[in-house]
Amino acid sequence: MGGGTTKVGDPSFRADERPLLTDNQINDNIAGIKRVFENYINYDDEPNGALMLNNSEWLDNLNYLEFLRDIGRHFSVNRMLSFESVKSRIDREQSLSFLEFNYMILQAYDFLELNRRYGCLFQMGGSDQWGNIVNGIDLTRRVLDHEIYGLTSQLLTTSDGKKMGKSLNGAIWLNADMLSPYEFWQFWRNTTDEDTGRFLKLYTELPIEDCDLLGALQVPTSTVLKSYWRMKSPHCYMALKPPKQQKPQR
């Protein structure tokens, strides 16, 4: 968890600076994320139990001069400016604060500390994190002489190219207190025709050929799915009925 880096804010592919959060807001967000993933990941103290780490553990008490001397010397400003996440912001003549510019170094240092403290060898992220991950790989090689790896995946966007990010308007949350089950259902029901086939491939276990067929149909998404489930699996049709609209509980 980015309890430390959140205090800076990732500038990657953003047009403006992220709003700064208080410590209480950050801790509440971390607790909320853990509640979501506890439905899928086991955090028990077992040999194969997952760890939810908070980078404030090693970032909050950094000595600035020591960090500049020991870590900062491994970074080239010229190279940092060449990464698309920063370059695109500057090319659009949008301001990039010194605070945000430091995020790339902190994210790279994260990977180094994860490897040093916990033996982490592999980091995954969206394509907007490519520069941060590559810097972490390079920094770990320079400081610890360890070989580590990274993998990025294409960002999830709508058909008009908009990123479906948590900090953007219209974000789709898994927390019922952030987005009601009714609103969650409505989002998928109202998916544009252009996104139907792609979303079916990403979020269902339907055969690829069925996703292609359904995505090619020129009818509303809800009609496509109702027809499909009635034909393929009648007992699953009930899952397409919307939940009752309820006000989110705070």
Side-chain angles (χ1 to χ4, degrees):
M1 292 291 102
T5 44
T6 300
K7 297 171 183 176
V8 175
D10 186 0
S12 299
F13 297 98
R14 288 184 61 91
D16 53 6
E17 188 171 343
R18 294 178 185 269
L20 297 179
L21 305 178
T22 66
D23 287 348
N24 287 337
Q25 289 174 316
I26 292 172
N27 291 333
D28 286 344
N29 288 342
I30 290 174
I33 293 172
K34 186 171 184 179
R35 283 196 299 272
V36 171
F37 282 97
E38 280 177 336
N39 295 316
Y40 313 100
I41 300 175
N42 179 14
Y43 290 103
D44 294 338
D45 294 330
E46 299 178 359
N48 62 343
L51 297 174
M52 180 167 280
L53 307 173
N54 188 339
N55 61 17
S56 64
E57 175 186 340
W58 51 83
L59 292 181
D60 278 3
N61 297 315
L62 280 177
N63 180 289
Y64 187 60
L65 290 179
E66 290 180 359
F67 185 75
L68 287 179
R69 181 191 63 196
D70 299 336
I71 302 299
R73 64 189 180 89
H74 295 292
F75 288 84
S76 163
V77 172
N78 292 347
R79 186 167 184 265
M80 292 170 68
L81 290 172
S82 71
F83 284 103
E84 188 61 29
S85 58
V86 175
K87 185 175 181 293
S88 60
R89 183 92 161 257
I90 296 175
D91 288 346
R92 294 194 299 267
E93 297 185 354
Q94 294 166 334
S95 64
L96 180 71
S97 70
F98 178 73
L99 181 69
E100 294 177 287
F101 192 60
N102 275 267
Y103 183 90
M104 189 182 298
I105 300 177
L106 295 178
Q107 190 80 350
Y109 182 69
D110 252 8
F111 205 173
L112 182 151
E113 285 296 331
L114 287 171
N115 177 259
R116 176 156 47 196
R117 295 172 183 238
Y118 300 98
C120 177
L121 297 175
F122 186 61
Q123 185 174 162
M124 298 176 65
S127 57
D128 60 340
Q129 296 300 309
W130 172 253
N132 297 329
I133 292 176
V134 168
N135 277 320
I137 292 173
D138 185 59
L139 179 64
T140 303
R141 178 183 59 81
R142 291 172 180 269
V143 176
L144 301 179
D145 195 26
H146 290 177
E147 188 172 2
I148 56 177
Y149 310 90
L151 174 69
T152 60
S153 59
Q154 185 177 358
L155 286 177
L156 182 60
T157 60
T158 57
S159 58
D160 57 2
K162 293 181 180 178
K163 175 183 174 182
M164 296 174 66
K166 60 183 180 298
S167 58
L168 302 179
N169 293 330
I172 304 306
W173 299 90
L174 297 178
N175 302 56
D177 58 348
M178 298 293 291
L179 187 76
S180 72
Y182 179 81
E183 292 173 307
F184 183 84
W185 184 87
Q186 282 291 330
F187 169 79
W188 298 109
R189 182 184 186 278
N190 296 327
T191 294
T192 64
D193 295 344
E194 292 80 5
D195 287 325
T196 298
R198 185 164 60 94
F199 283 0
L200 286 173
K201 293 175 184 177
L202 289 171
Y203 296 113
T204 74
E205 297 180 354
L206 300 182
I208 294 296
E209 56 272 18
D210 288 354
C211 295
D212 289 333
L213 174 64
L214 295 172
L217 296 177
Q218 299 299 313
V219 294
T221 302
S222 58
T223 302
V224 170
L225 296 181
K226 286 178 181 177
S227 300
Y228 180 85
W229 285 116
R230 280 173 170 164
M231 176 181 65
K232 293 282 188 176
S233 186
H235 67 279
C236 291
Y237 173 64
M238 294 298 294
L240 289 168
K241 293 186 176 180
K244 293 181 180 180
Q245 186 172 11
Q246 297 178 344
K247 292 182 179 181
Q249 295 181 353
R250 296 294 180 184

